[in-house]
Amino acid sequence: MENKLWTKDFTIITLGSVVSMIGNALASFAMSLFVLDFTGSTLYYSIYIFLYTLPQIAAPVISGPLMDRFSRRRTIYWLDFTMTALYIFLGAMVYFDVLNFGIFAAAVFVSGMISSVYNVAFQSFFPMLISEGNYTKAYSISSALETLTFVMIPVSAFVYNTVGLCPLLIANALCFLAAALFEMRISDVEGKNVLEKPAEYGGGQYIKDMREGGRYLFSEKGLLAITLYFTVISFSGGASQVITLPWFRGNFENGEYIYTSVWAFMVIGRVLGGMLHYKIKLPTDKKYAIALFVYVSIALLEGFYLYTPIIVMQGACFLNGLLSVTSYNIRISATQSYVPNERKGRYNGTFMMLNTVGALLGQLLAGALSEFLPTRMVLTCFMAFSAVSALVIIGGNKKHVVPIYNRQA
């Protein structure tokens, strides 16, 4: 008999994450617009982005050992309560017109830190609410819902330009509050699925746990190869973020709208891909081969699509969206079902930290190279590096990656 996916706990965590994602998508884009309007400075905007991203380097790997010792469920809803208070505070600052950039910057840094810890806790707890054999379905839902939050961006811009930032901040606070109340109703499923906390848990035990997590990752050559390759993907993706929008704006009148019309097809592809993966199961013994093909194909599509007419760009982005969901589902369902629950916090924390570092390095290097090289050529080089890395890292470690990917999840 097939296990039921939509259990009470899975339904609650899904509803809670949808509510918080929608609220965050509405507020985050509006906050970016507010910084530009409030300061009138690209420098201050870059500082704002940097301060949100900075804690994402250290916070995941630091919090990982703690997520393997303490309740992830309680961590999730208490962090959502904290975000509720933070956004109410920011909303009040805007409403009474006493907000300055220093306060805003500090709040953004705290928000980035909380989000980083929350992501480790959530990614480590979510698999525990998935019934056996339903990992691919569950993550196809998660991927589709995350993609749909992009639809909130134009809504955010409209609401911001109509009524300002304050209502969006308060709405986000209410979304986090609703999510926390949902999450409190999840059953205490952790039990012995996380490490037992010693009577006295201090710095020595914390360091020991962190070292043990590192030894585990290096002892698992397949997991290590997957983690390293997705760091390369983040590195190339960071370059794409820096290059793509400026290229469209520099080569088309109203280039930002052309950019939106092209990348909308990526969103459509991801949503349809998520729906397909919910209905169709990939053959278990072919997942590794499919993943390797997808990794190389995505890199080649993104490396060359800027040289084509707009309609071809849209088709390439649509295919990229479909393939990206396939890549995401194979990787996350395989690794999250493979890594033991008592090590998920440390593995996910390390994975997220390396991906953030990769993205930042890609952004910095691509920005520097674009000063004296054609931007399309820079993007092509980054994506060629990603394609070659797939063949070397994933292809070269086939015997270690196959047991992780080619398994029922």
Side-chain angles (χ1 to χ4, degrees):
M1 182 178 176
E2 186 176 351
N3 289 321
K4 180 181 176 183
L5 171 63
W6 290 98
T7 60
K8 183 199 81 170
D9 289 334
F10 182 78
T11 302
I12 291 173
I13 195 74
T14 302
L15 287 174
S17 63
V18 168
V19 170
S20 61
M21 280 191 293
I22 289 174
N24 223 14
L26 283 170
S28 296
F29 188 69
M31 287 168 68
S32 299
L33 297 175
F34 177 78
V35 171
L36 289 171
D37 290 341
F38 184 74
T39 65
S41 167
T42 305
L43 174 62
Y44 279 109
Y45 178 71
S46 65
I47 292 171
Y48 158 77
I49 297 295
F50 175 77
L51 287 174
Y52 183 77
T53 307
L54 182 62
Q56 295 179 40
I57 298 174
V61 74
I62 291 172
S63 63
L66 300 176
M67 294 305 103
D68 288 338
R69 288 286 185 182
F70 297 86
S71 171
R72 298 159 187 167
R73 180 178 69 97
R74 293 192 190 95
T75 300
I76 287 168
Y77 66 70
W78 276 115
L79 288 177
D80 275 342
F81 280 131
T82 305
M83 290 292 267
T84 300
L86 179 65
Y87 278 97
I88 288 174
F89 169 76
L90 278 177
M93 293 288 102
V94 173
Y95 181 80
F96 291 108
D97 197 24
V98 293
L99 184 67
N100 59 51
F101 186 76
I103 294 173
F104 195 73
V108 164
F109 181 83
V110 172
S111 174
M113 183 166 56
I114 292 172
S115 295
S116 300
V117 177
Y118 177 91
N119 286 335
V120 175
F122 183 88
Q123 290 293 347
S124 305
F125 183 59
F126 184 71
M128 299 172 68
L129 305 180
I130 303 171
S131 54
E132 187 177 350
N134 284 311
Y135 275 75
T136 301
K137 276 189 175 182
Y139 282 108
S140 68
I141 294 165
S142 177
S143 174
L145 293 175
E146 285 179 20
T147 305
L148 283 174
T149 59
F150 288 108
V151 178
M152 294 296 106
I153 291 176
V155 176
S156 174
F158 174 78
V159 175
Y160 172 77
N161 289 323
T162 305
V163 297
L165 181 63
C166 183
L168 287 167
L169 293 174
I170 299 302
N172 195 23
L174 293 176
C175 285
F176 275 114
L177 177 61
L181 294 174
F182 275 127
E183 290 153 357
M184 288 182 72
R185 297 175 59 83
I186 296 173
S187 306
D188 186 6
V189 299
E190 291 171 292
K192 294 184 178 180
N193 287 315
V194 293
L195 292 172
E196 185 178 350
K197 186 178 69 172
E200 294 184 5
Y201 186 80
Q205 184 63 58
Y206 171 84
I207 296 297
K208 183 179 177 181
D209 285 349
M210 182 173 281
R211 286 175 177 169
E212 196 277 333
R215 284 195 295 269
Y216 170 73
L217 180 58
F218 279 95
S219 70
E220 289 283 349
K221 291 184 172 26
L223 282 178
L224 183 61
I226 293 166
T227 302
L228 289 177
Y229 177 63
F230 272 83
T231 303
V232 172
I233 288 182
S234 297
F235 177 71
S236 302
S240 179
Q241 289 172 355
V242 168
I243 288 169
T244 309
L245 179 57
W247 184 84
F248 275 98
R249 295 193 71 177
N251 288 274
F252 297 96
E253 186 177 354
N254 297 320
E256 60 270 29
Y257 295 107
I258 303 294
Y259 168 84
T260 303
S261 73
V262 169
W263 278 81
F265 282 83
M266 170 75 81
V267 175
I268 295 168
R270 288 186 67 89
V271 172
L272 289 178
M275 293 168 64
L276 284 172
H277 281 284
Y278 185 78
K279 292 290 185 182
I280 302 170
K281 281 191 174 183
L282 296 174
T284 303
D285 62 337
K286 302 294 184 185
K287 286 183 179 179
Y288 168 82
I290 293 170
L292 186 56
F293 171 78
V294 164
Y295 297 156
V296 175
S297 298
I298 288 173
L300 294 177
L301 280 170
E302 196 159 351
F304 292 99
Y305 83 114
L306 291 182
Y307 296 94
T308 65
I310 290 172
I311 191 170
V312 178
M313 291 184 195
Q314 291 169 334
C317 281
F318 178 77
L319 284 175
N320 207 331
L322 284 174
L323 295 173
S324 295
V325 169
T326 303
S327 164
Y328 173 83
N329 279 4
I330 291 175
R331 189 268 304 174
I332 199 165
S333 60
T335 56
Q336 295 303 315
S337 61
Y338 181 83
V339 177
N341 283 322
E342 65 272 14
R343 289 191 171 99
K344 278 187 170 70
R346 283 165 289 179
Y347 171 73
N348 288 327
T350 302
F351 185 90
M352 291 175 192
M353 181 269 291
L354 289 174
N355 275 248
T356 301
V357 171
L360 286 173
L361 290 176
Q363 289 166 1
L364 291 171
L365 183 57
L369 290 174
S370 296
E371 289 295 311
F372 54 90
L373 290 174
T375 53
R376 287 189 298 189
M377 181 190 297
V378 174
L379 182 61
T380 300
C381 290
F382 271 86
M383 292 304 161
F385 175 68
S386 181
V388 171
S389 296
L391 297 172
V392 172
I393 299 174
I394 300 298
N397 287 278
K398 179 179 179 179
K399 69 176 182 179
H400 303 296
V401 178
V402 164
I404 299 173
Y405 276 5
N406 288 5
R407 58 198 301 274
Q408 187 64 41

